[in-house]
């Protein structure tokens, strides 16, 4: 088995992905009381 270079979206990087994830967590924290049970 060998590592093979893949192709991905050039505009996606790890920092941007992390920031979107943190924003999603913050948004859920802000609207948590409004979510149905």
């Amino acid at each position: 088995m060998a590592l093979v270079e893949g192709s991905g979206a050039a505009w996606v990087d790890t920092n941007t992905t992390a920031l979107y994830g943190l924003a999603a967590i913050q948004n859920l924290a802000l609207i948590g009381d409004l979510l149905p049970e």
Side-chain angles (χ1 to χ4, degrees), residues 9-24:
W11 55 271
V12 176
D13 61 2
T14 55
N15 190 43
T16 303
T17 304
L19 289 175
Y20 272 99
L22 288 173

